[in-house]
Amino acid sequence: QLQLQESGPGLVKPSETLSLTCTVSGGSISSSIYYWGWIRQPPGKGLEWIGSIYYGGSTYYNPSLKSRVTVSVDTSKNQFSLKLTSVTAADTAVYYCARHPGKVTSRYFDLWGRGTLVTVSS
Amino acid sequence: DIQMTQSPSTLSASVGDRVTITCRASQSIRSWLAWYQQKPGKAPNLLIYEASILDSGVPSRFSGSGSGTEFTLTISSLQPDDFATYYCQQYNTYSYTFGQGTKLEIK
């Protein structure tokens, strides 16, 4: 059964870069059907989509974060990654990786990782 | 961006009640709407997609309806396991947005 697992530092200093990796297990990230995405949730608040990537490398991002976000994929490791630059306390959140079908009519998140809390603090 | 607004923000109900949560989009999203359930400390779980299609394994007491700008999630008879926070998400555009959430509490 396909599973997603986030990993990375739980504490990042202000102005630095947040880096997270999502490892896909039990299946291949190189599926032609799916995109792989990042979503975050500040403590006690709602969900915000960050960006998505196809195994071939095509990406698209939330316009409000686009200038600071890079999502990349490493098919040899069955992983995809998130980099968020110039972080502030407002970037403190639980970060989830998730999967969504690539069809225009099916872009809902049908499989999620457990999430990882990243705190931005000096 | 398309803004998604859920109401109410909090809903108090009892086991066995029928409850309805509303999600409104700032512009038409046709039927490209999903609903998720999230319990404390857990990732969201997909309930419904394309406004009304239940994901595999989701109990039939959950139902979704609507199109265009107004959508509803209905739970026909609340069970103890249903007390959670519910989110809608639009995927009509390549910039997905979620509602702010509706917390369903035990009365």
Side-chain angles (χ1 to χ4, degrees), chain A residues 50-72:
Chain A
I50 299 170
S52 295
I53 190 165
Y54 189 61
Y55 81 94
S58 60
T59 55
Y60 54 107
Y61 301 124
N62 185 325
S64 69
L65 297 169
K66 187 175 181 179
S67 64
R68 298 195 293 132
V69 171
T70 302
V71 179
S72 58

Side-chain angles (χ1 to χ4, degrees), chain A residues 39 41 45-49 52 60 62-63 96 100 104-110 112-113, chain B residues 1 32 34 36 38 42-44 46 49-50 87 89 91-96 98-100:
Chain A
I39 299 119
Q41 184 172 37
K45 296 188 178 181
L47 300 162
E48 180 180 37
W49 170 72
S52 295
Y60 54 107
N62 185 325
Y96 295 101
H100 66 80
V104 168
T105 57
S106 303
R107 287 172 279 137
Y108 45 81
F109 297 94
D110 64 355
W112 297 65
Chain B
D1 273 3
W32 310 132
Y36 302 86
Q38 185 179 34
K42 301 293 187 182
L46 178 67
Y49 58 93
E50 205 170 322
Y87 293 93
Q89 176 229 334
Y91 50 97
N92 183 64
T93 66
Y94 277 97
S95 183
Y96 315 135
F98 293 85
Q100 82 279 14

Side-chain angles (χ1 to χ4, degrees), chain B residues 30-31 50-52 64-68 70-72:
Chain B
R30 295 177 284 180
S31 295
E50 205 170 322
S52 63
S65 66
S67 66
E70 187 153 336
F71 302 85
T72 59

Side-chain angles (χ1 to χ4, degrees), chain A residues 1 4-5 7 10 13 19 27 30 33 49 51 60 62 68-69 71 97 100 103-104 106 115-116 118:
Chain A
Q1 185 174 351
L4 308 179
Q5 178 67 60
S7 59
K13 290 182 168 54
S19 296
S30 301
I33 300 173
W49 170 72
Y60 54 107
N62 185 325
R68 298 195 293 132
V69 171
V71 179
C97 58
H100 66 80
K103 273 182 64 176
V104 168
S106 303
T116 188
V118 179

Side-chain angles (χ1 to χ4, degrees), chain B:
Chain B
D1 273 3
I2 298 175
Q3 306 303 315
M4 306 301 293
T5 304
Q6 289 182 230
S7 60
S9 295
T10 306
L11 180 57
S12 296
S14 302
V15 172
D17 284 354
R18 178 185 179 90
V19 298
T20 297
I21 298 168
T22 298
C23 179
R24 290 186 173 86
S26 60
Q27 64 188 73
S28 176
I29 58 170
R30 295 177 284 180
S31 295
W32 310 132
L33 183 100
W35 289 98
Y36 302 86
Q37 177 192 67
Q38 185 179 34
K39 296 182 178 178
K42 301 293 187 182
N45 182 52
L46 178 67
L47 295 176
I48 288 171
Y49 58 93
E50 205 170 322
S52 63
I53 301 174
L54 262 61
D55 194 32
S56 175
V58 174
S60 59
R61 61 181 180 273
F62 290 90
S63 64
S65 66
S67 66
T69 62
E70 187 153 336
F71 302 85
T72 59
L73 171 69
T74 298
I75 309 172
S76 60
S77 178
L78 274 174
Q79 299 302 301
D81 191 49
D82 300 337
F83 292 95
T85 300
Y86 293 84
Y87 293 93
C88 60
Q89 176 229 334
Q90 67 81 19
Y91 50 97
N92 183 64
T93 66
Y94 277 97
S95 183
Y96 315 135
T97 47
F98 293 85
Q100 82 279 14
T102 295
K103 185 175 183 180
L104 181 52
E105 298 180 329
I106 300 175
K107 187 184 286 184

